[in-house]
Amino acid sequence: MAAAVVTATILPTHQKCYAAAGGITAESARQQWRGSVAAIDELLQNWKTDEWAAEVGGGDRVREKIGTQGTASPMYQLEKALKVLRDSEFVADFVEFQETTDEFMGALYRADSLASSSNNKTGSGKQTPPAVFLEQSKTEVVEMQRVAKKLNAMEPLLMH
């Protein structure tokens, strides 16, 4: 008869083990956050639902800007930078920062999914036009902008 041995590792609730991979400093993460806030503002300022809906793959324009397709956006791998910031001297309230960044990332993933859906033409019958998905994606990017402002007000060292 074989016996199973179970071991458990108990970690304190706040350890650096959740931080992003090496190479990202708190200062570079802060710069990335600043660039991301500017990228969101620019995306909303130059939003072109009709133009992008007419293009094949027009939703990819949104995805490139929010960093989920390609590597050119300051928002590329933003979640890693936010984890570094969470553990840095720039953030005073770890728990509220984490909850707020979770809210931000949720909106980002919804914006990505909706923008990606605008590229798909599948199924039979009447399909949802790409413009509908792009407008829903825009709503999520507006939410990202709102949460980013909340983060900046909550943690003023992020922008100074």
Side-chain angles (χ1 to χ4, degrees):
M1 177 174 272
V5 177
V6 178
T7 61
T9 303
I10 300 173
L11 298 173
T13 57
H14 178 64
Q15 280 197 356
K16 300 272 184 186
C17 63
Y18 298 112
I24 301 176
T25 65
E27 184 55 39
S28 66
R30 185 166 76 153
Q31 293 299 325
Q32 184 176 354
W33 173 250
R34 290 176 183 166
S36 297
V37 170
I40 293 167
D41 293 343
E42 179 185 328
L43 175 60
L44 288 172
Q45 207 168 36
N46 299 312
W47 195 275
K48 297 177 178 151
T49 296
D50 294 334
E51 180 182 320
W52 297 339
E55 295 176 14
V56 173
D60 289 342
R61 299 277 191 106
V62 175
R63 299 179 72 223
E64 288 166 2
K65 293 289 186 183
I66 64 173
T68 56
Q69 180 168 319
T71 61
S73 171
M75 296 183 73
Y76 175 68
Q77 295 190 344
L78 180 61
E79 192 166 19
K80 289 181 180 182
L82 291 171
K83 287 178 181 180
V84 170
L85 284 173
R86 175 196 66 196
D87 295 334
S88 76
E89 70 275 10
F90 298 122
V91 172
D93 187 338
F94 169 86
V95 173
E96 187 165 352
F97 183 83
Q98 184 62 51
E99 289 172 352
T100 307
T101 58
D102 287 348
E103 185 180 353
F104 178 89
M105 293 306 299
L108 186 146
Y109 293 136
R110 289 188 301 272
D112 172 59
S113 178
L114 290 161
S116 179
S117 293
S118 75
N119 295 335
N120 299 332
K121 302 244 184 210
T122 60
S124 60
K126 187 174 180 183
Q127 298 176 8
T128 304
V132 171
F133 290 115
L134 287 168
E135 282 302 308
Q136 290 172 341
S137 181
K138 182 179 181 180
T139 299
E140 294 301 332
V141 175
V142 168
E143 176 65 4
M144 289 166 55
Q145 185 181 52
R146 182 194 70 76
V147 176
K149 288 178 181 176
K150 178 180 172 183
L151 269 172
N152 291 338
M154 184 175 76
E155 300 292 348
L157 291 177
L158 292 178
M159 295 303 282
H160 299 312

